[in-house]
Amino acid sequence: MEMEVYRVDGSSPEWLFKAYDYVRTDAFCFGQNIPIEIEFSHDDPREDTLAIVLTEEHKPIAGCRITYPEPGIGKIGRVCVIREKQKSGVGRRLIAEAEKWILEQDVHHIVINSQDRAAAFYHKLGYVTNPEVDPEIYEHPGTARKEQKEEHPDLGFRCVLVEKYTD
C-alpha cells in the first residue's frame, strides 16, 4: 500500500492538523493511557507548527512534530503511529521523512526526546542515547510540561534523549 506524506505548517489545511491530532490520540491516549490534557496542553499554536503526517488510503496513520530549539539543532517530537500500524515499518518511514525535511534546512544534529522503552527503535535508525543531557533542555520555554510531570509522575516511562549527527 502506498503511503502519502504531508508536510504540515501554519498554512496547511485544518484537516491535516486534525489528522495528526487523531494519530496522537490513538497512539498516546488510547494506546499508552496518557491523559488527553497532558498530551495536548503544551502544543504550539497551529501557525507555529511543523509536522509530518502519513496517511494510507486517505486515513491518518502516523505523525511527528519538528522544531528547531537552538540554531543547528532539529528536534523530532511527539512521534506516533496508530496502534494497528505499529511495528509495520511506518515509524521508520515517518522518521526518514522528518529527517529529510530537517536536512533540507541544512541542519545536521537531530534530537528526539524518546520514551525509554522506544529508544531501541531509534538506535536501529542510527541514533544514540545521550544520558549526559536532560531531554527537557530542548522543550519549548514556557510550557507547563514540568508541572504536568510532577502532577502525573508515573506515566509508565521516563524520557531519554537520543541524537544523531548526519554530517
Side-chain angles (χ1 to χ4, degrees):
M1 244 167 257
E2 187 65 30
M3 280 185 261
E4 299 86 28
V5 178
Y6 294 94
R7 290 182 176 186
V8 181
D9 63 24
S11 66
S12 296
E14 185 65 21
W15 68 265
L16 279 169
F17 292 99
K18 290 179 179 185
Y20 182 44
D21 289 348
Y22 168 82
V23 174
R24 288 173 62 189
T25 301
D26 182 80
F28 295 128
C29 299
F30 288 106
Q32 298 181 16
N33 286 325
I34 294 176
I36 197 163
E37 61 274 11
I38 290 178
E39 179 54 34
F40 288 97
S41 64
H42 56 279
D43 282 1
D44 292 329
R46 295 269 202 241
E47 63 269 12
D48 296 337
T49 298
L50 297 176
I52 300 285
V53 172
L54 300 182
T55 65
E56 190 175 73
E57 296 183 354
H58 308 285
K59 294 175 182 71
I61 60 170
C64 66
R65 273 198 313 239
I66 298 172
T67 58
Y68 297 91
E70 294 180 13
I73 298 177
K75 178 176 179 274
I76 301 172
R78 306 313 302 149
V79 176
C80 50
V81 176
I82 62 170
R83 290 169 290 166
E84 70 185 67
K85 292 291 185 178
Q86 292 175 2
K87 300 189 187 307
S88 71
V90 171
R92 179 180 295 273
R93 173 76 186 273
L94 178 65
I95 296 300
E97 293 293 339
E99 289 176 347
K100 181 178 173 184
W101 199 3
I102 291 169
L103 291 171
E104 288 171 10
Q105 307 311 306
D106 200 30
V107 171
H108 299 278
H109 181 198
I110 302 172
V111 297
I112 301 172
N113 288 6
S114 170
Q115 295 177 8
D116 55 355
R117 59 190 175 203
F121 164 74
Y122 296 111
H123 294 164
K124 292 177 189 172
L125 302 179
Y127 289 80
V128 296
T129 300
N130 186 341
E132 304 297 316
V133 177
D134 179 355
E136 288 291 324
I137 69 164
Y138 294 117
E139 292 299 323
H140 292 290
T143 63
R145 188 82 180 183
K146 285 188 179 196
E147 292 169 19
Q148 291 166 343
K149 276 187 178 177
E150 291 168 13
E151 291 174 23
H152 303 282
D154 187 14
L155 294 174
F157 60 87
R158 64 182 182 83
C159 288
V160 296
L161 182 81
V162 295
E163 62 185 344
K164 177 192 261 188
Y165 290 89
T166 59
D167 261 352

